[in-house]
Amino acid sequence: MTVEIEQVTRLQSLDKKIADLEREVATLPKHIAQIEKTLDSHLRRLEADRAALVANQKERKQLEDDVKVETQKISKLRDQMLGAKNNEQYRAFQHEIEYIEKEIRTAEDRILELMTESEPLDAAVKKAQAALNEEKRQVEAEKTRTRERTAQDQAEMDQVRGQRAETAKKIPAPTMNLYTRIRKKWNGGVAVAEVVNARCMACQIILRPQHVQDLRKGDHVMQCENCGRFLYYNPPVSVEDAATAK
C-alpha cells in the first residue's frame, strides 16, 4: 500500500466517523421528541380519566342534592295530606308522593351505579398519576443524558474534523479531488477498497491479472476498473512471519 493510499484510507475512516457522529446528533432530537410525544399521550389519557371521574362525582352530587329536595317535597306533601278535605285530594297527594318516591329510587339506583363506576376510575387515576410522575422523571433524565451525549458528539466531531483537515493536507490535490468525486458518486460510501483474491471487495468484480500484479507492486495509486474506487492490497502474512514479528 502506498503512503498516499494510506492517507486516503485514513481520510475515509475519519469521514465515516464524522458521518456516524452527524447521524447520531441528528437522531438525538428525534429521540427526545418521540419520548415527549409518548409522555404527552399518557398525560392526555390521564386528563381524560380525571375528567370522567369529575363528571361522575358531579353527577352523583347533583343526584344526591335532588334526592334531598325530593325527600323534603314528600315530607311537605304528607303534612298537606293531613289537611285533605276529601278522598280525591288525599289520593292526589298520595299519587304525587308515589311518583316522587319512584324518582328518588331511580336516582338512588343511578347513584349506586356511579359509585361502582367511580372506584375503578379513581384507582386508574391514582395509578396513572404515579406512573406519569415516574415517566416524567425518566424523561427528564433521558433528556439530560441526550444533551450530554450531544455535547460529547459535537466535541468529538470537532476533534475528528481537525484530524481530517490535517490528513487532507498530506494528500496531493489531484488525489484529493478524485477521492471527493468517488465519495460523491457512491453517496458518501466506500471510496477505498481492499483487493482480496484478485477481487475488489467493494463491487465484488474480479480484476484483470495484470491489474492485480501492478497493484501488488504498490508504486502508484490505482483504481478499480469497474467501480472506480481506490484499491489497496495487503499481502498475506505467513505463520512464520507472524511468529518472527512477535
Side-chain angles (χ1 to χ4, degrees):
M1 183 188 296
T2 66
V3 174
E4 197 170 332
I5 287 296
E6 285 181 0
Q7 295 297 337
V8 172
T9 303
R10 172 169 169 73
L11 187 68
Q12 176 176 259
S13 176
L14 293 171
D15 279 338
K16 183 180 183 303
K17 181 64 175 177
I18 291 170
D20 290 343
L21 289 168
E22 286 176 340
R23 277 193 296 272
E24 184 168 77
V25 169
T27 300
L28 291 174
K30 296 177 183 177
H31 171 60
I32 292 299
Q34 182 58 47
I35 62 177
E36 286 183 333
K37 182 179 179 181
T38 302
L39 178 64
D40 187 56
S41 69
H42 293 167
L43 179 59
R44 288 197 301 271
R45 191 179 308 159
L46 174 60
E47 290 173 346
D49 287 343
R50 279 178 175 164
L53 181 59
V54 168
N56 178 290
Q57 293 170 340
K58 185 177 180 180
E59 186 178 354
R60 275 177 56 191
K61 179 66 169 58
Q62 182 62 54
L63 288 170
E64 288 167 353
D65 290 343
D66 290 346
V67 167
K68 289 179 182 178
V69 171
E70 296 301 310
T71 301
Q72 291 172 358
K73 284 183 180 180
I74 290 175
S75 179
K76 291 180 179 178
L77 287 170
R78 283 179 175 158
D79 289 340
Q80 292 173 3
M81 281 177 65
L82 298 176
K85 296 179 179 180
N86 51 55
N87 289 337
E88 187 177 349
Q89 285 185 351
Y90 185 88
R91 283 194 298 271
F93 283 126
Q94 193 173 38
H95 288 159
E96 189 169 357
I97 289 172
E98 288 174 354
Y99 175 80
I100 294 174
E101 285 176 340
K102 183 179 178 182
E103 292 293 310
I104 289 175
R105 285 194 298 271
T106 301
E108 288 175 339
D109 288 343
R110 178 56 182 158
I111 289 171
L112 288 175
E113 289 178 5
L114 291 169
M115 289 175 66
T116 302
E117 293 171 2
S118 71
E119 290 178 4
L121 272 175
D122 186 52
V125 167
K126 289 178 180 177
K127 183 178 179 180
Q129 182 63 67
L132 189 66
N133 291 339
E134 175 61 20
E135 188 176 1
K136 283 181 178 179
R137 186 191 66 77
Q138 292 176 356
V139 167
E140 288 304 315
E142 183 65 18
K143 286 167 70 174
T144 298
R145 285 194 295 270
T146 300
R147 284 192 290 266
E148 291 172 352
R149 183 59 181 269
T150 300
Q152 292 171 1
D153 285 350
Q154 291 287 3
E156 186 176 359
M157 205 183 308
D158 291 340
Q159 182 181 8
V160 176
R161 281 173 175 160
Q163 293 172 356
R164 185 193 188 282
E166 290 300 316
T167 302
K169 290 178 183 177
K170 300 174 184 178
I171 300 173
T175 303
M176 189 65 201
N177 292 335
L178 183 56
Y179 169 81
T180 302
R181 290 199 299 273
I182 295 172
R183 286 268 297 174
K184 184 177 181 181
K185 175 182 177 181
W186 297 108
N187 297 318
V190 174
V192 188
E194 184 178 7
V195 172
V196 179
N197 296 327
R199 184 188 299 273
C200 170
M201 298 310 293
C203 68
Q204 297 299 312
I205 293 297
I206 297 293
L207 304 176
R208 291 184 300 106
Q210 185 59 50
H211 204 66
V212 175
Q213 189 63 32
D214 292 341
L215 179 65
R216 286 177 176 177
K217 293 178 183 178
D219 54 6
H220 65 283
V221 174
M222 295 187 64
Q223 294 174 255
C224 175
E225 294 175 309
N226 178 62
C227 65
R229 292 178 172 94
F230 290 115
L231 297 175
Y232 69 90
Y233 172 76
N234 283 326
V237 179
S238 66
V239 175
E240 293 79 4
D241 290 342
T244 302
K246 289 183 179 179

